[in-house]
């Protein structure tokens, strides 16, 4: 009994120590807005162009995506579904999984549910935290996901990013502190535009994580309106019934 107790205490202590020594990065708040259909559409386009080559969305069908995002089937099939044959197909790529794992040292996971696993703030920060690191196979590392196997696939948009440090006073000592990423300005987008594009992409990933959220929200609003009208009617009815009773 005592042995078990001690083992439990040791376990808790070691995991606390691990958490304390862990890599802690401040996460930026992702400006998520699931009611912004245009943002979701831009995000879907980015996903198809920059992510699907490696990451599938096995739990998401084109038909559902088009319907939820307000894209006509013909337009979607022509402009977004490059590899699909039918509108009912799942969002998949043709890349052989084992090869991908060999090339990148880790298999690119399915991203249908990634926003539920990692959270939108993590994703938003992750996609804006790649930086040049010549010691890595693809020449980049990531502040949020150290030693990540994924190359910086959005570099043509962002430009070449590097880590920025500032000398700050920490506990009475002056230390070099990581303050963020700066780019060399060679990207197609400005920093604000890049942040906006990543926000659209994360917005889309947040949607695919729980597609019924869009529906339940609009249904919720309808239910509230119905209840409000019902309340007014019930109130008038009550007044009518009780008007002669004093
Ligand atoms: C060239 C292939 C490739 C492309 C394209 C790519 N990724 Fe990745 N991605 C990877 C690999 C490989 C990993 C696994 C990294 C690891 O575990 O070290 C990964 C990991 C991730 C992860 C972390 C998943 C987790 O929870 O561990 C996220 C999120 C992610 N990618 C998002 C994206 C997004 C968004 C795009 C499109 C902008 C994208 N990726 C494009 C190869 C790719």
């Amino acid at each position: 009994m005592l042995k078990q107790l001690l083992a439990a205490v040791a376990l808790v202590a070691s995991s606390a120590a691990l958490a304390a020594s862990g890599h802690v990065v401040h996460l930026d708040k992702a400006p998520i807005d699931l009611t912004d259909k245009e943002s979701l559409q831009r995000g879907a386009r980015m996903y198809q162009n920059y992510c699907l080559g490696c990451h599938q969305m096995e739990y998401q069908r084109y038909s559902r995506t088009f319907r939820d995002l307000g894209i006509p089937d013909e337009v979607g099939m022509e402009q977004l579904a490059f590899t699909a044959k039918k509108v009912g197909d799942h969002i998949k790529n043709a890349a052989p999984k084992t090869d991908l794992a060999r090339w990148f040292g880790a298999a690119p996971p399915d991203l249908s549910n990634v926003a539920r696993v990692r959270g939108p703030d993590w994703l938003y920060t992750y996609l804006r935290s790649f930086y040049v690191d010549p010691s890595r196979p693809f020449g980049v590392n990531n502040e949020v996901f150290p030693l990540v196997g994924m190359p910086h696939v959005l570099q043509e948009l962002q430009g070449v990013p590097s880590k920025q440090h500032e000398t700050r006073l920490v506990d009475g000592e002056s230390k070099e502190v990581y303050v963020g990423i700066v780019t060399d300005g060679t990207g197609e987008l400005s920093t604000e535009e890049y942040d906006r594009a990543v926000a659209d992409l994360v917005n889309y990933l947040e949607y695919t994580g729980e597609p019924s959220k869009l529906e339940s929200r609009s249904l919720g609003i309808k239910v509230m309106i119905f209840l409000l009208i019902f309340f007014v009617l019930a109130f008038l009815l009550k007044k009518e019934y009780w008007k002669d009773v004093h």
Side-chain angles (χ1 to χ4, degrees):
M1 179 69 192
L2 188 68
K3 242 185 187 168
Q4 277 169 354
L5 198 70
L6 282 176
V9 169
L11 198 73
V12 171
S14 67
S15 59
L18 204 71
S21 70
H23 190 82
V24 187
V25 182
H26 165 80
L27 297 182
D28 297 331
K29 183 108 195 72
I32 293 299
D33 179 4
L34 290 179
T35 62
D36 186 346
K37 289 257 159 81
E38 282 174 16
S39 159
L40 291 173
Q41 290 175 2
R42 287 192 301 267
R45 175 180 299 259
M46 275 204 54
Y47 189 87
Q48 296 302 105
N49 285 326
Y50 291 102
C51 316
L52 181 61
C54 293
H55 296 280
Q56 311 205 110
M57 281 212 177
E58 274 190 83
Y59 304 104
Q60 186 76 17
R61 285 179 199 275
Y62 283 103
S63 45
R64 166 108 210 210
T65 312
F66 296 161
R67 196 186 69 211
D68 287 346
L69 270 51
I71 303 170
D73 281 357
E74 315 78 62
V75 177
M77 286 306 279
E78 198 188 300
Q79 297 189 5
L80 291 176
F82 314 120
T83 51
K85 293 201 175 59
K86 298 186 297 298
V87 70
D89 284 354
H90 289 100
I91 303 184
K92 286 189 166 188
N93 60 32
K97 270 227 155 83
T98 42
D99 284 347
L100 285 178
R102 212 177 53 236
W103 293 333
F104 300 107
D110 188 285
L111 293 186
S112 323
N113 288 324
V114 73
R116 293 232 297 249
V117 180
R118 296 289 199 177
D121 295 349
W122 188 92
L123 292 171
Y124 182 62
T125 313
Y126 167 67
L127 292 168
R128 290 156 55 254
S129 296
F130 283 93
Y131 64 89
V132 169
D133 178 353
S135 73
R136 299 293 301 149
F138 293 101
V140 283
N141 206 332
N142 192 290
E143 186 62 18
V144 178
F145 190 151
L147 306 182
V148 70
M150 174 170 146
H152 184 20
V153 296
L154 299 176
Q155 185 159 306
E156 64 179 50
L157 300 181
Q158 190 188 19
V160 182
S162 49
K163 271 208 218 198
Q164 197 182 23
H165 290 93
E166 259 175 36
T167 320
R168 286 199 187 152
L169 216 58
V170 182
D171 300 330
E173 285 175 61
S174 71
K175 280 188 180 159
E176 287 283 291
V177 188
Y178 167 74
V179 287
I181 299 289
V182 276
T183 77
D184 66 350
T186 56
E188 286 167 24
L189 304 179
S190 69
T191 305
E192 294 75 37
E193 287 168 338
Y194 181 72
D195 287 355
R196 190 60 249 164
V198 171
D200 290 337
L201 182 55
V202 174
N203 207 17
Y204 176 66
L205 292 173
E206 177 77 358
Y207 150 73
T208 63
E210 208 178 336
S212 55
K213 237 192 204 167
L214 280 184
E215 260 168 4
S216 48
R217 190 167 300 193
S218 72
L219 190 68
I221 293 171
K222 285 182 198 138
V223 169
M224 293 306 286
I225 293 172
F226 169 78
L227 285 177
L228 204 71
I229 296 171
F230 185 76
F231 172 77
V232 173
L233 287 177
F235 180 73
L236 292 176
L237 202 64
K238 179 210 162 245
K239 259 176 83 172
E240 183 65 24
Y241 277 162
W242 289 82
K243 87 175 167 229
D244 301 325
V245 186
H246 291 290

